[in-house]
Amino acid sequence: MALFKLSINNRAYNADVEQDTPLLWVLRDNLGLVGTKYGCGISQCGACTVHLDGKAAKSCVLPVSAVGKAKVTTIEGLSEKGDHPVQKAWDEVDVAQCGYCQAGQIMTAAALLKEKPKPTDEEIVSTMSGNICRCGTYHRIREAVKVAASKTN
């Protein structure tokens, strides 16, 4: 085991885990940050998406040893009051059905809008295609990303 010093949601954490432990399990099992979900374990569904220095990353396959000094943001840290433009758009459009994939969807959308504040429909579809919604709310997800984009500078 090794001690990893992590910056998560603007807070310092220590995790005494094996170096190949996926960040997802460090977040959920060691640190109690359970907003990030386990979906597939093979980086195919996007439920585990977090931000690593502002960019979307699949935490189920990211070993904690690869995080280094990067700043990790989870759904819990996206906004203190749940008022990030993407979260507000999700509510406005009423995206969630079962809700299981939503944290990963929101984190992916937020990273996209940070990089491209006014994405094209093709960019939205391409970026969000790495996230699976088993309920099939893709049309509402795309609409919410557009709504969030329209409300950001």
Side-chain angles (χ1 to χ4, degrees):
M1 303 254 271
L3 185 64
F4 293 93
K5 295 177 187 282
L6 303 167
S7 174
I8 303 169
N9 300 333
N10 296 315
R11 287 189 53 202
Y13 289 90
N14 291 321
D16 190 14
V17 296
E18 297 293 336
Q19 66 181 8
D20 61 346
T21 304
L23 178 60
L24 172 66
W25 299 120
V26 173
L27 294 170
R28 292 183 61 80
D29 295 346
N30 298 90
L31 305 178
L33 297 169
V34 296
T36 305
K37 303 300 183 200
Y38 172 78
C40 68
I42 57 172
S43 188
Q44 296 298 302
C45 75
C48 67
T49 303
V50 298
H51 293 173
L52 211 58
D53 286 337
K55 298 197 181 300
K58 308 273 180 70
S59 65
C60 71
V61 295
L62 180 67
V64 68
S65 59
V67 173
K69 296 192 183 298
K71 293 181 188 234
V72 178
T73 305
T74 68
I75 190 69
E76 293 96 338
L78 189 60
S79 100
E80 284 185 33
K81 298 177 183 174
D83 59 357
H84 185 280
V86 174
Q87 291 170 309
K88 289 169 78 171
W90 242 247
D91 284 342
E92 183 179 324
V93 177
D94 198 23
V95 172
Q97 190 162 319
C98 84
Y100 195 82
C101 70
Q102 297 309 296
Q105 299 276 3
I106 288 168
M107 295 303 286
T108 300
L112 167 64
L113 294 178
K114 184 175 181 182
E115 185 176 318
K116 294 183 181 253
K118 302 294 182 197
T120 64
D121 287 348
E122 294 79 23
E123 289 169 330
I124 294 169
V125 169
S126 175
T127 299
M128 299 307 295
S129 69
N131 292 71
I132 294 173
C133 174
R134 290 181 177 102
C135 299
T137 66
Y138 297 110
H139 62 289
R140 293 195 308 251
I141 292 167
R142 283 190 300 274
E143 181 62 25
V145 174
K146 291 179 192 177
V147 167
S150 74
K151 295 182 179 185
T152 57
N153 294 333

